[in-house]
Amino acid sequence: MTDQTTESADQPLEDRGSNRSQRPSSQAFREFIGSNWGPRPEGLPERMESADSAAIHRAAIGAKFPGERLVVPAGQLVVRSNDTDYRFRPHSAFAHLTGLGTDQQPDAVLVLEPNVTSTGEPVSEGETHSATLYFRPRAERDTEEFYADSRYGELWVGVRPSLEEIEAATGISCAHIETFGDAVAKDAGQVTVRVVPQADEAVTAVVRKAQQEAGVSAEEAQDAALAEALSELRLVKDEWEIGEMRKAVEATRAGFEAMIRSLPRATEHPRGERVIEGAFAAVSREEGNGLGYDTIAASGNNANTLHWINNDGEVRRGDMILIDAGVEVDSLYTADITRTIPVDGRFTEPQRKVYQAVLDAADASFARAQEVRSDGGRPRFRELHEAAMEVLAARLEEWGMLPVSAQESLAPEGQYHRRWMVHGTSHHLGIDVHDCAQARRDMYLDGELEPGMVFTIEPGLYFRADDLAVPEEMRGMAVRIEDDIVVTEEGAVRLSAEIPREVADVEAWVQGLLAE
Ligand code: GLY
Ligand code: MN
Ligand code: MN
């Protein structure tokens, strides 16, 4: 009698994924499938538009760490379930320093190798580092990878690039990932090696091993300082990056129009919010790399749940729908826009009242962002929030909702108005929807605005249906208006200015699209 238990135990669990496969493996088959293919196209890809910007970013981070080896992984594919991976998205710091976006390149690592003078001193000006991009180039057709590797094989995921191709596209010297271990271990006892934390645990392990073997202790604080510097480097965007942000906003505008056009179908569907979500998702893939974050399509009282991404509710005529959505373009820069629109194309009086309060708060915040003092000084980032709160507190006082005066509420020990807006008014925006998150407080919240900064302004009021502190006519309503802003030499500009936001403009926009 066969002992099933023992037999099963003989086959390790990780090998059982192939139990369903009947892939031929004879030598004759391998030779056959690997032969008789036409030549690969000649020539190399053009240098990517992002390459110059990425080179400037590399020089800037290198200048902060002269004489040190900096390791910036792209990250690994992440399993979604069993043998199916999530679509790959490179680590944001890797994208920023290489210019590679979309799904490039799982398992890659950028290494900035310090240049030293003839006496071994770090080069402190000019080219402080030489960059090498280690990745896994395509294997040729005579390999098993070609036909049998569902993660990397050409017959499974398409023709992946060669070293020469990525070198031409990025302007960065390339080497096979198999040589990364030796490169990172070289002189690891003499040179400080920093690795971006949590980007790729396997890469961190290689660095740690090299450090251990060289007899140096791993300093997590050193890695954290690299992450902080990389985050702060993104606080100010260059012209090319701002161009990408404009593309993302423009694609997002098209997505909002598609969502409004889908409203008649949404109101007929039991999960109308999903109809709206789907309309945006289609545009995000057609016009960009995809969604910058999960779309919030929240109708009626659902909009009072700040992270409403279930989107499985009905869309009822007479309600407002709050839509927070952003297209991420191929370079990975994303927009982050919210509009709250009347499903019928016309606000009711209480809806208009709440909407106008939020709009006035957003306008006050934007006016603050535009200020440039005669000495060239600018507002601090935190003032964007303060300006919006002054307007909302005053309006809530007018409506009799505050237990104290607006002024008392605005004091740090008050803050009663925050019951109806618990989130912040602004965040930096870029490759991450909440960009620059590891920057120091005095660079971010307490930092002065600077030309090239890109952030949102997104005040809101959230009046839950069961909130007895809200006048009855406004219960169950939520409004957020979110625009994307770039700071300029003269002040600040709304990148999302073409997406209607004034009461009359929103009504005309919705009515116009529904009448098409
Ligand atoms: N959509 C995320 C946010 O507005 O911050
Ligand atoms: Mn936002
Ligand atoms: Mn948003």
Side-chain angles (χ1 to χ4, degrees):
M1 207 170 104
T2 319
D3 181 344
Q4 288 286 337
T5 318
T6 312
E7 221 174 52
S8 297
D10 284 347
Q11 188 189 19
L13 288 177
E14 58 271 24
D15 288 353
R16 295 185 196 178
S18 59
N19 282 355
R20 69 167 195 275
S21 171
Q22 298 176 9
R23 191 177 295 138
S25 58
S26 70
Q27 187 57 25
F29 170 78
R30 287 189 54 174
E31 279 169 21
F32 183 66
I33 197 170
S35 61
N36 209 16
W37 298 97
R40 304 238 186 237
E42 279 182 19
L44 292 170
E46 287 190 7
R47 188 175 160 89
M48 297 182 307
E49 283 177 17
S50 57
D52 291 346
S53 172
I56 292 167
H57 301 154
R58 290 195 298 278
I61 199 69
K64 287 196 182 298
F65 299 98
E68 300 187 8
R69 181 173 297 148
L70 307 179
V71 179
V72 186
Q76 299 177 14
L77 286 160
V78 178
V79 173
R80 179 176 184 278
S81 80
N82 186 24
D83 57 353
T84 308
D85 297 322
Y86 284 103
R87 194 185 291 282
F88 181 69
R89 186 182 191 279
H91 190 281
S92 300
F94 178 88
H96 193 235
L97 297 184
T98 62
L100 291 168
T102 57
D103 54 358
Q104 301 179 81
Q105 273 295 327
D107 303 327
V109 191
L110 175 73
V111 176
L112 300 183
E113 184 64 23
N115 293 328
V116 290
T117 63
S118 54
T119 56
E121 295 302 309
V123 172
S124 53
E125 279 179 19
E127 297 249 318
T128 58
H129 291 74
S130 299
T132 304
L133 184 54
Y134 296 87
F135 76 101
R136 186 173 160 136
R138 67 168 168 261
E140 284 313 327
R141 290 147 167 163
D142 56 356
T143 59
E144 195 172 317
E145 175 183 304
F146 173 64
Y147 72 93
D149 189 328
S150 60
R151 265 193 161 176
Y152 302 100
E154 189 167 329
L155 296 193
W156 294 84
V157 298
V159 187
R160 294 191 310 107
S162 65
L163 295 177
E164 296 71 26
E165 285 166 354
I166 289 285
E167 206 163 285
T170 61
I172 305 173
S173 298
C174 290
H176 199 294
I177 189 67
E178 283 168 3
T179 63
F180 164 69
D182 287 344
V184 92
K186 186 169 156 274
D187 303 329
Q190 281 86 56
V191 63
T192 298
V193 184
R194 297 182 196 250
V195 56
V196 176
Q198 280 132 35
D200 184 334
E201 293 309 327
V203 170
T204 301
V206 171
V207 172
R208 294 284 176 264
K209 183 164 171 270
Q211 289 172 323
Q212 206 175 16
E213 285 174 1
V216 291
S217 57
E219 297 279 352
E220 281 175 10
Q222 289 181 338
D223 295 344
L226 174 60
E228 176 185 286
L230 286 165
S231 219
E232 290 174 357
L233 186 61
R234 304 208 319 252
L235 283 166
V236 172
K237 272 79 178 167
D238 61 33
E239 278 305 307
W240 178 81
E241 293 177 285
I242 292 166
E244 293 303 287
M245 291 301 308
R246 287 189 187 282
K247 279 193 219 164
V249 169
E250 179 50 26
T252 300
R253 189 187 63 75
F256 269 84
E257 291 193 349
M259 289 192 282
I260 292 171
R261 288 194 186 95
S262 79
L263 274 172
R265 203 169 91 73
T267 53
E268 297 297 315
H269 196 286
R271 297 206 290 182
E273 291 171 348
R274 292 279 171 97
V275 173
I276 307 280
E277 178 190 330
F280 189 81
V283 174
S284 79
R285 286 295 287 166
E286 287 163 27
E287 304 297 323
N289 187 49
L291 302 174
Y293 53 91
D294 284 326
T295 298
I296 296 169
S299 191
N301 190 47
N302 291 343
N304 282 304
T305 300
L306 295 177
H307 286 173
W308 179 260
I309 56 171
N310 280 348
N311 302 337
D312 59 357
E314 283 180 58
V315 176
R316 291 189 199 87
R317 302 180 65 88
D319 278 349
M320 294 185 287
I321 182 164
L322 183 157
I323 308 172
D324 185 342
V327 172
E328 171 186 278
V329 290
D330 289 350
S331 55
L332 305 183
Y333 289 82
T334 188
D336 179 11
I337 312 267
T338 305
R339 289 293 181 264
T340 307
I341 58 176
V343 173
D344 285 339
R346 195 171 297 283
F347 290 103
T348 64
E349 201 42 39
Q351 287 170 351
R352 193 199 55 72
K353 209 163 122 180
V354 182
Y355 188 92
Q356 190 63 48
V358 175
L359 188 67
D360 292 347
D363 287 350
S365 182
F366 181 59
R368 188 68 56 90
Q370 286 179 300
E371 287 171 11
V372 187
R373 293 194 303 264
S374 55
D375 65 356
R378 306 260 185 164
R380 296 189 185 281
F381 188 83
R382 59 164 59 254
E383 294 179 50
L384 303 174
H385 177 68
E386 290 162 7
M389 291 308 99
E390 283 164 22
V391 172
L392 291 185
R395 207 61 53 92
L396 292 165
E397 179 185 46
E398 207 178 288
W399 295 339
M401 292 168 65
L402 295 179
V404 296
S405 69
Q407 207 183 356
E408 286 165 306
S409 189
L410 288 164
E413 63 280 12
Q415 301 289 307
Y416 298 95
H417 54 285
R418 296 296 298 278
R419 170 174 175 145
W420 297 289
M421 184 185 145
V422 293
H423 62 77
T425 302
S426 289
H427 57 82
H428 278 264
L429 182 66
I431 297 180
D432 289 336
V433 63
H434 296 159
D435 215 33
C436 314
Q438 291 161 324
R440 283 165 292 177
R441 193 184 178 90
D442 57 350
M443 301 284 286
Y444 197 134
L445 198 58
D446 294 333
E448 269 193 16
L449 302 188
E450 271 185 60
M453 285 184 168
V454 177
F455 48 76
T456 66
I457 291 181
E458 51 176 308
L461 281 175
Y462 305 89
F463 296 156
R464 298 179 81 92
D466 58 356
D467 187 342
L468 304 182
V470 172
E472 209 168 336
E473 60 164 11
M474 294 190 275
R475 287 185 202 153
M477 293 179 184
V479 172
R480 178 165 65 255
I481 302 168
E482 179 172 24
D483 284 288
D484 299 345
I485 315 296
V486 59
V487 180
T488 60
E489 291 297 337
E490 297 75 31
V493 168
R494 265 192 206 105
L495 294 171
S496 45
E498 298 298 308
I499 306 178
R501 55 196 290 287
E502 302 280 338
V503 167
D505 295 345
V506 170
E507 290 184 341
W509 185 42
V510 176
Q511 288 169 21
L513 289 167
L514 292 181
E516 275 180 357

